[in-house]
Amino acid sequence: MLKIYNNLTNKKEIFIPIEPGKIRMYVCGITVYDYCHIGHSRAYIVFDMVARFLRHLGYDVTYIRNITDIDDKIIQRANENGEDFHQLTTRFIKAMHEDFDQLNILMPDLEPKATDHIPAILTMIETLIDKGFAYQAENGDVYFAVNEFNKYGELSGKRVEDLRAGERVDVDTNKRDPMDFVLWKMAKENEPFWESNYGKGRPGWHIECSAMSTEMLGNHFDIHGGGQDLQFPHHENEIAQSECCTGEKFVNYWMHNGFVRVNEEKMSKSLGNFFTIRDVLKEYRAEEIRFFILSSHYRSQINYSDEQLDQARSGLERLYAALLDVEFGDVPKDTEYQQRFELAMNDDFNTAEAIAVLFDLTRDVNRAKAENSPEVAALGSLLKYLANLLGLLELNAAEFLKSSVTDDGLSNADIDLKVEQRQQAKKDKNWAMADQIRDELTAAGIVLEDNVDGTRWRR
RNA sequence: GGCUGGUUGGCAGAGUGGUUAUGCAGCGGCCUGCAAAGCCGUGGACGGCGGUUCGAUUCCGCCAUCAGCCUCCA
């Protein structure tokens, strides 16, 4: 029985889909004006894992992850670069897909872009105005009137009174209430715009998610996810817009992943302490990043550091090493390992616990190997199968262990030759020579492992 | 100030009202020409103070402390 921690109630709840056997899930994607960083990678690895596991449970999942391709930062960056905003977003959408692909993040079923859904956005704004939940201010901008929605603050646990008292809310004289947020923003000179009843402008950030999720998943759907920083105000605003527009409950389960921190501080663009995915991929294998992310529960905060990534590397290499020489075959059914794995995952996607099960299974695989047991194939196949559910251990073990992201100047053939030379030295009992070759390779980051069949190496 | 969520062994990180997390690192052993990998064994923990309980790291309260949100942010 699947339990999900629901931010609407701040409790773990038994998951019940709206329509039996089907799950409709929407996750807020990125604003494409720069390369994705490790914080982004966490959010999308996490929800990729969620979608994979829900499908494993047999659900027919419709997973939507949008792209915000118009907003202030995009316009600003495009201006700085002296290029059309569309050119900018196209470039970074491509980069995002490349990065995500490396991290084995599967494509969502639909990946709508805000600019492709302006009509749906305008329709929703019109409905909100008609129903009295939104108004056009003197400057032409259209705002949502927070005051008209009495459930405002339900998701984030905030009270409108407290928010109003806050000193950090900008006082904008165009708004009736400082908490009101923009739905349609008038275009300034030389800014991209779309025609509307309210004038030439562009959508506010929050409305696109409401419009696109409702358009594609219906008024009421199962799961909505995103980073913890989106809980307020973004998701709060989505609820307000959608429920006021449709008169129905918007989402049943809200999920938010925790942040990635750097030196005990949130990784973010404004702090400038972010590491882009492509930079990290110069030092670590993509799967090491994925393993690092999934080693902790998705709601906890994690700290990014080389030490963490090094530990992830060691752990992942242990798992892959167990798969060496395994002849994969049928995956045994109804094993205790799978039960434990699923129990962990059913408990609010506890990947840390699930990975611990993989390590227990790994010991069993290694033990079977040491004993030359016929169980090796079955246990190894099970390990690969369970790990694959998390998007891990999909590569060939030998190739993975020989792969490297850093250039040590040695080709595989170079190494093979050295290893061969050392084999001869060993045969001649020339231990000094054998050790010298091994030391050379060790210095280059190559690890040698002798066994009865010969010598295996990895980077 | 309001609201969230944390505080577990050298590091990372799960979990539990009384019993082994798991990984990395350490120590001892097996294996090995020596190693490495692997296997076997092993030490080491639950922020502080109260309370509930036969018994609390686990439940409750208070305190301390950290991070986050309240402004764009995954």
PDB file of all heavy atoms in Angstrom, chain A residues 277-302:
ATOM      1  N   ILE A 277      24.956  21.040 -13.933  1.00  0.00           N
ATOM      2  CA  ILE A 277      25.047  19.604 -14.182  1.00  0.00           C
ATOM      3  C   ILE A 277      26.236  19.322 -15.095  1.00  0.00           C
ATOM      4  O   ILE A 277      27.037  18.421 -14.846  1.00  0.00           O
ATOM      5  CB  ILE A 277      23.745  19.085 -14.817  1.00  0.00           C
ATOM      6  CG1 ILE A 277      22.597  19.205 -13.805  1.00  0.00           C
ATOM      7  CG2 ILE A 277      23.899  17.646 -15.279  1.00  0.00           C
ATOM      8  CD1 ILE A 277      21.228  18.975 -14.394  1.00  0.00           C
ATOM      9  N   ARG A 278      26.370  20.144 -16.137  1.00  0.00           N
ATOM     10  CA  ARG A 278      27.448  19.838 -17.083  1.00  0.00           C
ATOM     11  C   ARG A 278      28.838  20.052 -16.490  1.00  0.00           C
ATOM     12  O   ARG A 278      29.788  19.367 -16.897  1.00  0.00           O
ATOM     13  CB  ARG A 278      27.286  20.539 -18.425  1.00  0.00           C
ATOM     14  CG  ARG A 278      26.758  21.930 -18.412  1.00  0.00           C
ATOM     15  CD  ARG A 278      26.372  22.347 -19.837  1.00  0.00           C
ATOM     16  NE  ARG A 278      25.259  21.536 -20.357  1.00  0.00           N
ATOM     17  CZ  ARG A 278      24.964  21.403 -21.651  1.00  0.00           C
ATOM     18  NH1 ARG A 278      25.689  22.019 -22.559  1.00  0.00           N
ATOM     19  NH2 ARG A 278      23.953  20.669 -22.032  1.00  0.00           N
ATOM     20  N   ASP A 279      28.951  20.946 -15.532  1.00  0.00           N
ATOM     21  CA  ASP A 279      30.247  21.097 -14.875  1.00  0.00           C
ATOM     22  C   ASP A 279      30.569  19.867 -14.020  1.00  0.00           C
ATOM     23  O   ASP A 279      31.686  19.364 -14.022  1.00  0.00           O
ATOM     24  CB  ASP A 279      30.267  22.355 -13.988  1.00  0.00           C
ATOM     25  CG  ASP A 279      30.588  23.594 -14.811  1.00  0.00           C
ATOM     26  OD1 ASP A 279      31.041  23.434 -15.964  1.00  0.00           O
ATOM     27  OD2 ASP A 279      30.365  24.712 -14.309  1.00  0.00           O
ATOM     28  N   VAL A 280      29.580  19.422 -13.279  1.00  0.00           N
ATOM     29  CA  VAL A 280      29.810  18.269 -12.414  1.00  0.00           C
ATOM     30  C   VAL A 280      30.104  17.018 -13.252  1.00  0.00           C
ATOM     31  O   VAL A 280      30.896  16.165 -12.855  1.00  0.00           O
ATOM     32  CB  VAL A 280      28.605  18.039 -11.478  1.00  0.00           C
ATOM     33  CG1 VAL A 280      28.811  16.793 -10.630  1.00  0.00           C
ATOM     34  CG2 VAL A 280      28.406  19.252 -10.574  1.00  0.00           C
ATOM     35  N   LEU A 281      29.485  16.949 -14.428  1.00  0.00           N
ATOM     36  CA  LEU A 281      29.710  15.791 -15.294  1.00  0.00           C
ATOM     37  C   LEU A 281      31.140  15.733 -15.830  1.00  0.00           C
ATOM     38  O   LEU A 281      31.548  14.723 -16.398  1.00  0.00           O
ATOM     39  CB  LEU A 281      28.715  15.799 -16.464  1.00  0.00           C
ATOM     40  CG  LEU A 281      27.288  15.386 -16.095  1.00  0.00           C
ATOM     41  CD1 LEU A 281      26.359  15.537 -17.290  1.00  0.00           C
ATOM     42  CD2 LEU A 281      27.252  13.946 -15.586  1.00  0.00           C
ATOM     43  N   LYS A 282      31.888  16.805 -15.649  1.00  0.00           N
ATOM     44  CA  LYS A 282      33.295  16.770 -16.041  1.00  0.00           C
ATOM     45  C   LYS A 282      34.118  16.006 -15.005  1.00  0.00           C
ATOM     46  O   LYS A 282      35.239  15.595 -15.265  1.00  0.00           O
ATOM     47  CB  LYS A 282      33.852  18.189 -16.181  1.00  0.00           C
ATOM     48  CG  LYS A 282      33.291  18.921 -17.395  1.00  0.00           C
ATOM     49  CD  LYS A 282      33.737  20.367 -17.410  1.00  0.00           C
ATOM     50  CE  LYS A 282      33.010  21.135 -18.516  1.00  0.00           C
ATOM     51  NZ  LYS A 282      33.018  22.592 -18.255  1.00  0.00           N
ATOM     52  N   GLU A 283      33.579  15.878 -13.793  1.00  0.00           N
ATOM     53  CA  GLU A 283      34.325  15.224 -12.714  1.00  0.00           C
ATOM     54  C   GLU A 283      33.717  13.882 -12.307  1.00  0.00           C
ATOM     55  O   GLU A 283      34.410  13.019 -11.774  1.00  0.00           O
ATOM     56  CB  GLU A 283      34.340  16.130 -11.464  1.00  0.00           C
ATOM     57  CG  GLU A 283      35.017  17.475 -11.688  1.00  0.00           C
ATOM     58  CD  GLU A 283      36.510  17.323 -11.951  1.00  0.00           C
ATOM     59  OE1 GLU A 283      37.134  16.418 -11.378  1.00  0.00           O
ATOM     60  OE2 GLU A 283      37.041  18.130 -12.748  1.00  0.00           O
ATOM     61  N   TYR A 284      32.416  13.757 -12.486  1.00  0.00           N
ATOM     62  CA  TYR A 284      31.747  12.541 -12.024  1.00  0.00           C
ATOM     63  C   TYR A 284      30.859  11.966 -13.112  1.00  0.00           C
ATOM     64  O   TYR A 284      30.333  12.686 -13.953  1.00  0.00           O
ATOM     65  CB  TYR A 284      30.896  12.844 -10.783  1.00  0.00           C
ATOM     66  CG  TYR A 284      31.735  13.237  -9.593  1.00  0.00           C
ATOM     67  CD1 TYR A 284      31.990  14.582  -9.304  1.00  0.00           C
ATOM     68  CD2 TYR A 284      32.300  12.266  -8.781  1.00  0.00           C
ATOM     69  CE1 TYR A 284      32.787  14.938  -8.227  1.00  0.00           C
ATOM     70  CE2 TYR A 284      33.096  12.604  -7.700  1.00  0.00           C
ATOM     71  CZ  TYR A 284      33.343  13.955  -7.425  1.00  0.00           C
ATOM     72  OH  TYR A 284      34.138  14.290  -6.369  1.00  0.00           O
ATOM     73  N   ARG A 285      30.686  10.658 -13.037  1.00  0.00           N
ATOM     74  CA  ARG A 285      29.774  10.003 -13.971  1.00  0.00           C
ATOM     75  C   ARG A 285      28.347  10.415 -13.635  1.00  0.00           C
ATOM     76  O   ARG A 285      28.013  10.622 -12.457  1.00  0.00           O
ATOM     77  CB  ARG A 285      29.882   8.487 -13.856  1.00  0.00           C
ATOM     78  CG  ARG A 285      31.269   7.890 -14.112  1.00  0.00           C
ATOM     79  CD  ARG A 285      31.165   6.392 -13.830  1.00  0.00           C
ATOM     80  NE  ARG A 285      32.399   5.658 -14.023  1.00  0.00           N
ATOM     81  CZ  ARG A 285      33.151   5.197 -13.019  1.00  0.00           C
ATOM     82  NH1 ARG A 285      32.822   5.447 -11.767  1.00  0.00           N
ATOM     83  NH2 ARG A 285      34.223   4.486 -13.277  1.00  0.00           N
ATOM     84  N   ALA A 286      27.506  10.472 -14.647  1.00  0.00           N
ATOM     85  CA  ALA A 286      26.124  10.903 -14.447  1.00  0.00           C
ATOM     86  C   ALA A 286      25.411  10.020 -13.423  1.00  0.00           C
ATOM     87  O   ALA A 286      24.656  10.504 -12.580  1.00  0.00           O
ATOM     88  CB  ALA A 286      25.374  10.869 -15.777  1.00  0.00           C
ATOM     89  N   GLU A 287      25.674   8.730 -13.495  1.00  0.00           N
ATOM     90  CA  GLU A 287      24.968   7.832 -12.587  1.00  0.00           C
ATOM     91  C   GLU A 287      25.391   8.043 -11.135  1.00  0.00           C
ATOM     92  O   GLU A 287      24.643   7.755 -10.207  1.00  0.00           O
ATOM     93  CB  GLU A 287      25.188   6.371 -13.002  1.00  0.00           C
ATOM     94  CG  GLU A 287      24.248   5.423 -12.280  1.00  0.00           C
ATOM     95  CD  GLU A 287      24.239   4.023 -12.856  1.00  0.00           C
ATOM     96  OE1 GLU A 287      24.831   3.798 -13.932  1.00  0.00           O
ATOM     97  OE2 GLU A 287      23.630   3.146 -12.216  1.00  0.00           O
ATOM     98  N   GLU A 288      26.599   8.568 -10.952  1.00  0.00           N
ATOM     99  CA  GLU A 288      27.048   8.864  -9.588  1.00  0.00           C
ATOM    100  C   GLU A 288      26.226  10.011  -9.012  1.00  0.00           C
ATOM    101  O   GLU A 288      25.907  10.034  -7.818  1.00  0.00           O
ATOM    102  CB  GLU A 288      28.543   9.192  -9.595  1.00  0.00           C
ATOM    103  CG  GLU A 288      29.384   7.950  -9.876  1.00  0.00           C
ATOM    104  CD  GLU A 288      30.815   8.234 -10.304  1.00  0.00           C
ATOM    105  OE1 GLU A 288      31.171   9.405 -10.534  1.00  0.00           O
ATOM    106  OE2 GLU A 288      31.577   7.268 -10.427  1.00  0.00           O
ATOM    107  N   ILE A 289      25.866  10.956  -9.857  1.00  0.00           N
ATOM    108  CA  ILE A 289      25.004  12.054  -9.403  1.00  0.00           C
ATOM    109  C   ILE A 289      23.618  11.505  -9.042  1.00  0.00           C
ATOM    110  O   ILE A 289      23.056  11.815  -7.996  1.00  0.00           O
ATOM    111  CB  ILE A 289      24.862  13.130 -10.500  1.00  0.00           C
ATOM    112  CG1 ILE A 289      26.230  13.722 -10.833  1.00  0.00           C
ATOM    113  CG2 ILE A 289      23.877  14.216 -10.056  1.00  0.00           C
ATOM    114  CD1 ILE A 289      26.214  14.699 -12.000  1.00  0.00           C
ATOM    115  N   ARG A 290      23.101  10.673  -9.922  1.00  0.00           N
ATOM    116  CA  ARG A 290      21.784  10.091  -9.672  1.00  0.00           C
ATOM    117  C   ARG A 290      21.777   9.263  -8.388  1.00  0.00           C
ATOM    118  O   ARG A 290      20.867   9.359  -7.569  1.00  0.00           O
ATOM    119  CB  ARG A 290      21.370   9.228 -10.869  1.00  0.00           C
ATOM    120  CG  ARG A 290      19.932   8.746 -10.787  1.00  0.00           C
ATOM    121  CD  ARG A 290      19.513   7.981 -12.038  1.00  0.00           C
ATOM    122  NE  ARG A 290      18.150   7.494 -11.873  1.00  0.00           N
ATOM    123  CZ  ARG A 290      17.089   8.084 -12.407  1.00  0.00           C
ATOM    124  NH1 ARG A 290      17.216   9.133 -13.168  1.00  0.00           N
ATOM    125  NH2 ARG A 290      15.873   7.615 -12.174  1.00  0.00           N
ATOM    126  N   PHE A 291      22.839   8.477  -8.215  1.00  0.00           N
ATOM    127  CA  PHE A 291      22.941   7.651  -7.015  1.00  0.00           C
ATOM    128  C   PHE A 291      23.040   8.524  -5.761  1.00  0.00           C
ATOM    129  O   PHE A 291      22.407   8.254  -4.741  1.00  0.00           O
ATOM    130  CB  PHE A 291      24.174   6.742  -7.122  1.00  0.00           C
ATOM    131  CG  PHE A 291      24.337   5.786  -5.973  1.00  0.00           C
ATOM    132  CD1 PHE A 291      23.667   4.578  -5.965  1.00  0.00           C
ATOM    133  CD2 PHE A 291      25.147   6.109  -4.893  1.00  0.00           C
ATOM    134  CE1 PHE A 291      23.809   3.701  -4.895  1.00  0.00           C
ATOM    135  CE2 PHE A 291      25.291   5.242  -3.818  1.00  0.00           C
ATOM    136  CZ  PHE A 291      24.622   4.031  -3.824  1.00  0.00           C
ATOM    137  N   PHE A 292      23.833   9.573  -5.840  1.00  0.00           N
ATOM    138  CA  PHE A 292      23.965  10.522  -4.730  1.00  0.00           C
ATOM    139  C   PHE A 292      22.597  11.103  -4.359  1.00  0.00           C
ATOM    140  O   PHE A 292      22.219  11.136  -3.180  1.00  0.00           O
ATOM    141  CB  PHE A 292      24.938  11.639  -5.134  1.00  0.00           C
ATOM    142  CG  PHE A 292      24.812  12.914  -4.341  1.00  0.00           C
ATOM    143  CD1 PHE A 292      25.079  12.929  -2.975  1.00  0.00           C
ATOM    144  CD2 PHE A 292      24.433  14.097  -4.966  1.00  0.00           C
ATOM    145  CE1 PHE A 292      24.956  14.114  -2.250  1.00  0.00           C
ATOM    146  CE2 PHE A 292      24.317  15.283  -4.244  1.00  0.00           C
ATOM    147  CZ  PHE A 292      24.572  15.285  -2.882  1.00  0.00           C
ATOM    148  N   ILE A 293      21.844  11.530  -5.342  1.00  0.00           N
ATOM    149  CA  ILE A 293      20.526  12.123  -5.100  1.00  0.00           C
ATOM    150  C   ILE A 293      19.596  11.105  -4.446  1.00  0.00           C
ATOM    151  O   ILE A 293      18.894  11.418  -3.481  1.00  0.00           O
ATOM    152  CB  ILE A 293      19.891  12.616  -6.423  1.00  0.00           C
ATOM    153  CG1 ILE A 293      20.745  13.709  -7.065  1.00  0.00           C
ATOM    154  CG2 ILE A 293      18.453  13.086  -6.196  1.00  0.00           C
ATOM    155  CD1 ILE A 293      20.823  14.998  -6.321  1.00  0.00           C
ATOM    156  N   LEU A 294      19.588   9.892  -4.969  1.00  0.00           N
ATOM    157  CA  LEU A 294      18.634   8.898  -4.476  1.00  0.00           C
ATOM    158  C   LEU A 294      19.084   8.247  -3.164  1.00  0.00           C
ATOM    159  O   LEU A 294      18.321   7.508  -2.553  1.00  0.00           O
ATOM    160  CB  LEU A 294      18.400   7.827  -5.551  1.00  0.00           C
ATOM    161  CG  LEU A 294      17.715   8.343  -6.829  1.00  0.00           C
ATOM    162  CD1 LEU A 294      17.579   7.219  -7.849  1.00  0.00           C
ATOM    163  CD2 LEU A 294      16.337   8.947  -6.526  1.00  0.00           C
ATOM    164  N   SER A 295      20.306   8.533  -2.737  1.00  0.00           N
ATOM    165  CA  SER A 295      20.794   7.951  -1.480  1.00  0.00           C
ATOM    166  C   SER A 295      20.112   8.558  -0.262  1.00  0.00           C
ATOM    167  O   SER A 295      20.209   8.008   0.832  1.00  0.00           O
ATOM    168  CB  SER A 295      22.303   8.173  -1.343  1.00  0.00           C
ATOM    169  OG  SER A 295      22.966   7.421  -2.325  1.00  0.00           O
ATOM    170  N   SER A 296      19.485   9.696  -0.442  1.00  0.00           N
ATOM    171  CA  SER A 296      18.762  10.328   0.666  1.00  0.00           C
ATOM    172  C   SER A 296      17.279  10.374   0.331  1.00  0.00           C
ATOM    173  O   SER A 296      16.891  10.338  -0.831  1.00  0.00           O
ATOM    174  CB  SER A 296      19.237  11.764   0.877  1.00  0.00           C
ATOM    175  OG  SER A 296      20.622  11.803   1.069  1.00  0.00           O
ATOM    176  N   HIS A 297      16.476  10.490   1.360  1.00  0.00           N
ATOM    177  CA  HIS A 297      15.041  10.618   1.134  1.00  0.00           C
ATOM    178  C   HIS A 297      14.755  11.925   0.404  1.00  0.00           C
ATOM    179  O   HIS A 297      15.406  12.938   0.661  1.00  0.00           O
ATOM    180  CB  HIS A 297      14.308  10.591   2.473  1.00  0.00           C
ATOM    181  CG  HIS A 297      12.820  10.589   2.303  1.00  0.00           C
ATOM    182  ND1 HIS A 297      12.097   9.436   2.193  1.00  0.00           N
ATOM    183  CD2 HIS A 297      11.954  11.610   2.168  1.00  0.00           C
ATOM    184  CE1 HIS A 297      10.822   9.746   2.015  1.00  0.00           C
ATOM    185  NE2 HIS A 297      10.724  11.062   1.997  1.00  0.00           N
ATOM    186  N   TYR A 298      13.782  11.924  -0.483  1.00  0.00           N
ATOM    187  CA  TYR A 298      13.580  13.106  -1.342  1.00  0.00           C
ATOM    188  C   TYR A 298      13.188  14.372  -0.585  1.00  0.00           C
ATOM    189  O   TYR A 298      13.402  15.480  -1.070  1.00  0.00           O
ATOM    190  CB  TYR A 298      12.537  12.815  -2.438  1.00  0.00           C
ATOM    191  CG  TYR A 298      11.096  12.808  -1.964  1.00  0.00           C
ATOM    192  CD1 TYR A 298      10.335  13.978  -1.940  1.00  0.00           C
ATOM    193  CD2 TYR A 298      10.487  11.629  -1.545  1.00  0.00           C
ATOM    194  CE1 TYR A 298       9.019  13.972  -1.505  1.00  0.00           C
ATOM    195  CE2 TYR A 298       9.171  11.609  -1.107  1.00  0.00           C
ATOM    196  CZ  TYR A 298       8.442  12.791  -1.091  1.00  0.00           C
ATOM    197  OH  TYR A 298       7.143  12.793  -0.649  1.00  0.00           O
ATOM    198  N   ARG A 299      12.621  14.220   0.618  1.00  0.00           N
ATOM    199  CA  ARG A 299      12.192  15.428   1.332  1.00  0.00           C
ATOM    200  C   ARG A 299      13.297  16.047   2.183  1.00  0.00           C
ATOM    201  O   ARG A 299      13.168  17.175   2.636  1.00  0.00           O
ATOM    202  CB  ARG A 299      10.981  15.110   2.228  1.00  0.00           C
ATOM    203  CG  ARG A 299       9.655  15.134   1.486  1.00  0.00           C
ATOM    204  CD  ARG A 299       8.469  15.014   2.424  1.00  0.00           C
ATOM    205  NE  ARG A 299       8.310  13.660   2.927  1.00  0.00           N
ATOM    206  CZ  ARG A 299       8.384  13.326   4.207  1.00  0.00           C
ATOM    207  NH1 ARG A 299       8.621  14.241   5.128  1.00  0.00           N
ATOM    208  NH2 ARG A 299       8.226  12.075   4.576  1.00  0.00           N
ATOM    209  N   SER A 300      14.351  15.297   2.436  1.00  0.00           N
ATOM    210  CA  SER A 300      15.404  15.840   3.293  1.00  0.00           C
ATOM    211  C   SER A 300      16.290  16.798   2.507  1.00  0.00           C
ATOM    212  O   SER A 300      16.315  16.789   1.280  1.00  0.00           O
ATOM    213  CB  SER A 300      16.245  14.707   3.857  1.00  0.00           C
ATOM    214  OG  SER A 300      16.937  14.066   2.816  1.00  0.00           O
ATOM    215  N   GLN A 301      17.000  17.619   3.213  1.00  0.00           N
ATOM    216  CA  GLN A 301      17.954  18.498   2.552  1.00  0.00           C
ATOM    217  C   GLN A 301      19.248  17.725   2.413  1.00  0.00           C
ATOM    218  O   GLN A 301      19.627  16.976   3.305  1.00  0.00           O
ATOM    219  CB  GLN A 301      18.175  19.749   3.396  1.00  0.00           C
ATOM    220  CG  GLN A 301      16.895  20.495   3.661  1.00  0.00           C
ATOM    221  CD  GLN A 301      17.166  21.862   4.261  1.00  0.00           C
ATOM    222  OE1 GLN A 301      17.376  22.829   3.569  1.00  0.00           O
ATOM    223  NE2 GLN A 301      17.163  21.914   5.570  1.00  0.00           N
ATOM    224  N   ILE A 302      19.921  17.916   1.312  1.00  0.00           N
ATOM    225  CA  ILE A 302      21.193  17.232   1.138  1.00  0.00           C
ATOM    226  C   ILE A 302      22.281  18.263   0.866  1.00  0.00           C
ATOM    227  O   ILE A 302      22.009  19.358   0.383  1.00  0.00           O
ATOM    228  CB  ILE A 302      21.152  16.187   0.007  1.00  0.00           C
ATOM    229  CG1 ILE A 302      20.783  16.827  -1.332  1.00  0.00           C
ATOM    230  CG2 ILE A 302      20.188  15.088   0.355  1.00  0.00           C
ATOM    231  CD1 ILE A 302      20.836  15.841  -2.477  1.00  0.00           C
TER     232      ILE A 302
END
